[in-house]
Amino acid sequence: MAQTRSHERSRRRARTGSRFDRLREYVSGDSLRDVHWKSSAKREDLLVKEFADDRSDRTLLVAAEAREGHADEMAAAAATITMAALESGLAVELAVPNGTVEQGYGDTHRTRLLELLARADAGQTGRVDDADVVVTANGDGVTVSVDGRRQSFAAVTASQDNPIAGEVNG
């Protein structure tokens, strides 16, 4: 159902004059008006046009690091932050110790982010100095740093109903 809502937002943006961004594979529920027929004719599957609005021009680099034994906590916190950023219309780039997902947005990008986080290992990224948000997990818990200001993950998510926050810091 969440996937359908996201595609519905894409269709609404297409109708309100947003600019074309890229082509992606057709997903059940996409409007046939968004199918790029010329490109689809050259392939065995349908491709649909994805549109961007002004909000998606903003980008966010999240670097997530963890000490040994704390990769799951890091991944859970980074997932919460990256998914919230995508929902806010930001193009998100993610760096974890064993990989990177370049900036993007949309359902396919969401899947790539979550797949990388599911495989995330402990270690360092080498991207902390470039990152807009740094997630760090160690024996003391999970912290989030933005503009040099460091807070516990629980404090960052305390105002939201977030079932993951209790699991990560509990």
Side-chain angles (χ1 to χ4, degrees), residues 9-164:
R9 282 192 302 272
S10 293
R11 287 193 297 274
R12 271 184 273 156
R13 282 196 301 262
R15 293 183 196 125
T16 60
S18 296
R19 65 180 166 77
F20 170 79
D21 182 54
R22 63 177 156 207
L23 296 176
R24 64 169 172 76
E25 290 184 18
Y26 174 86
V27 176
S28 179
D30 284 335
S31 172
L32 290 178
R33 287 190 299 190
D34 292 338
V35 171
H36 193 271
W37 294 105
K38 187 174 181 178
S39 295
S40 296
K42 297 175 186 177
R43 298 174 47 120
E44 292 182 20
D45 52 352
L46 295 176
L47 295 175
V48 295
K49 297 173 275 191
E50 195 163 85
F51 297 87
D53 60 17
D54 292 337
R55 294 180 307 160
S56 60
D57 289 337
R58 298 178 301 174
T59 62
L60 183 76
L61 168 57
V62 177
E65 301 184 336
R67 292 235 169 106
E68 197 64 40
H70 299 282
D72 287 345
E73 295 97 325
M74 169 202 69
T80 300
I81 292 167
T82 57
M83 296 304 106
L86 283 175
E87 282 298 312
S88 296
L90 296 174
V92 177
E93 179 178 356
L94 173 66
V96 297
N98 57 314
T100 301
V101 174
E102 295 299 321
Q103 77 179 30
Y105 50 92
D107 291 333
T108 302
H109 189 66
R110 178 183 317 276
T111 300
R112 288 184 192 125
L113 292 168
L114 292 173
E115 286 174 346
L116 178 61
L117 287 166
R119 297 186 313 269
D121 291 331
Q124 297 183 337
T125 64
R127 303 282 308 273
V128 169
D129 292 337
D130 300 331
D132 300 300
V133 178
V134 178
V135 176
T136 307
N138 56 38
D140 296 329
V142 179
T143 59
V144 177
S145 300
V146 178
D147 292 331
R149 184 172 176 219
R150 185 179 203 169
Q151 289 187 287
S152 72
F153 179 67
V156 172
T157 59
S159 64
Q160 301 174 10
D161 291 332
N162 184 350
I164 296 175

